Amino acid sequence: MLWYDAPASDWETQSLPIGNGALGASVFGNLTDEHVQFNEKTLWTGGPGSPGGYRNGNWTTPRPGAVAEVQRLIDEKTSVTPEDAATRLGQPRTGYGAHQTFGDLTLTVPGAPGTAEDYRRSLDLARGVAAVEYTHEEVSHRREFFASCPDKVIVGHFSANSPGAIGFTLRYGSPRKDFTVSTRAGRLTVRGELADNGLKFEAQIQVLSDGGTVGASDGALTVSGADSAWFILSAGTDYEDVHPAYRGDDPHGRITGAVDAASGRSHAELLARHTADHTSLFGRVSLDLGQPAGPTPLPTDRLLAGYTGGASASDRALEALFFQYGRYLLIASSRAGSLPANLQGVWNNSAEPPWGADYHVNINLQMNYWPAEATNLAETTAPYDRFVEALRAPGRRTAEEMFGSRGWVIHDETNPYGFTGVHDWATSFWFPEAAAWLTSQMYEHYRFNGSTDYLRTTAYPVMKEAAEFWLDNLHLDPRDNTRVVSPSYSPEHGDFTAGAAMSQQIVRELLVNTLEAARTLGDVAAFRAELEEAIDAIDPGLRVGSWGQLQEWKTDLDSRSDDHRHVSHLYALHPGRQIEAGSTWAEAAKVSLTARGDGGTGWSKAWKINFWARLRDGDHAHTMLAEQLKASTLPNLWDTHPPFQIDGNFGATSGVTEMLLQSQHDVIDILPALPTTWTSGSVRGLRARGGVTVDIEWTSGKAVHLLLTASRTRELTVRSTLLPGGEKTFKAVAGERYTFR
């Protein structure tokens, strides 16, 4: 439970988010003028129909030999500047667009007080309900807001313990002027087309009441003298994720159907359907770090302000809350049937949000899904899979036009309209490894659940085409005759070179994963042989440099004073699986990570939690969690870059999980990086690769009880101080439970 004793005055730092994947809303809790800002994931400018034309970021005119020329320059001079590379390979971005706020609901409540002594504003993570409670003139008032996935609507409910005490006037507003508002029979309809690209959009808000009246005037709906009242909101666009048009049916029928169906249910039924759906996901995992039971006695903003990362119960409460908040946000911003979570999840109050609230695929989109599998939220990856699949068609065109090759490719940033090409911001326009990285989450989904049907129909086709691109594009390095990525750029600093560590690690991982999948599925021998040859020839991107560091570039260019927020060359440690704790490479990674320091932006600190956990240094992982909470977390617990960027929330939840359970090397490793501050506790419902649900209890830093529930029949290896000799291998049977004490 997040809770506060005052309304929100600022969207970014104080409003409370609800969402059902496609729809999101931010609740302020103002007494006299309740403010609900809302979003729909597909309301995007840019793409087809936008001014200046749209070519998915592909070169507007052919540039034969452009990539080969940069490769030649790098071979001769070892590097080129980002500015030179951008001049030769980039171009100004046209038609890229940005996510748009759908608008704002204002509910003016006549007679409401400006303040109330017993005011409480809360977000119940377990139920997915935001609430506002207060007493005025001896009448207790309660407002509840939730976003229902089963009913595809947002609901706001106003009630009181005195008959006839509920009244408000609901109005819609937006920073854009591209819409009309009409009212009829208690329903307010917003309809328009984005001026930028003609995308049709519509929202409908139905107001219902128990007792009293509902009237309409001047584009507003007014409730008077009701015992309770509620609004039901649905919204959508005519966007469709199909290249090249990205347009589907007019949203009117779909929105009308959703609001009509929801209006046929009572508020209590809508709430029950929502909570049953939400808790079926959220309730799978519980975490006890020694925090007091129930909501904390301190409001969340004061809990955060007083956090030290020390030994207090309140610090443990905030850490456990932050972990679960990441799971909550993933459920709320990523459900089947819409786009995946973007840079701000699904929450955006602007027509010009930071970075367009887009999809950065040089870490940010991938980080959003790091906690999905291990924290038992595998269903939330469905929008991610569909999004990646939809990138294949435009990505094939980019591969053919820019590289003359098979397969598909995407660079640094993308949008819902299949932007797979380039722009000209020198330090962030070139990242052809992104497609390879995007496929790794899909292969991890298979490694967790073991479904060969999923592998065959969903993951493998995407992986295979991404691998074909690199089979055609790996460059022969004249320095040592290995195969390298060239031009290669380590995000987001340094020069363009050949064979930067991150590039090599990502591409090699893709080739290895694809070969494993090809063998599992029995793909043709010729393709498997092509992969085997490439794996033998590729530079793995792992080198120990002159001061013991893991090199970021193939040439030893690392500086001890470099504290850049990207620590890209440790990809092989996390989220990759090429580096094992205790190895030579792990020790070199530790040197690099120590040199980079504990600073950085929110998502960078979150990544470092995961790095240190993979190095089995729980205390340093906890230090990074504390740094993120103390310096990179807003009062509503959103992560800040700054500004607000949601990937840090997801990265932190992943990092906490890595401290408690790891399985990337096909061993179920129990409490591999437990901090000394987490003396005793328990976690229930985490997932390990191989199809296992894991419950752990520990006391005095040692596991005392372990329960494994197998969802597949297979051999498992478990590592824990609880086991004789520290490790046990046994055959698990699907549906069986295995207890160790």
Side-chain angles (χ1 to χ4, degrees), residues 509-532:
E509 179 183 73
L510 168 69
L511 298 177
V512 169
N513 288 349
T514 306
L515 179 58
E516 288 180 3
R519 288 170 173 165
T520 298
L521 297 175
D523 202 351
V524 295
F527 181 61
R528 299 201 306 269
E530 197 175 2
L531 289 168
E532 289 166 354

Side-chain angles (χ1 to χ4, degrees), residues 661-663 666-670 688 692 694 716-719:
L661 178 70
Q662 295 179 24
S663 60
D666 296 314
V667 174
I668 300 173
D669 202 346
I670 306 299
V692 185
V694 182
L716 297 177
T717 299
V718 183
R719 181 181 298 145

Side-chain angles (χ1 to χ4, degrees), residues 106-128:
T106 302
L107 296 97
T108 302
V109 181
T115 60
E117 289 185 3
D118 60 348
Y119 177 93
R120 182 184 176 97
R121 178 171 59 101
S122 62
L123 177 61
D124 186 335
L125 304 184
R127 298 172 63 240

Side-chain angles (χ1 to χ4, degrees), residues 636-659:
N636 61 1
L637 299 191
W638 269 345
D639 170 76
T640 181
H641 183 275
F644 161 51
Q645 196 171 291
I646 203 168
D647 41 24
N649 286 105
F650 299 133
T653 295
S654 170
V656 170
T657 308
E658 293 282 343
M659 295 153 81

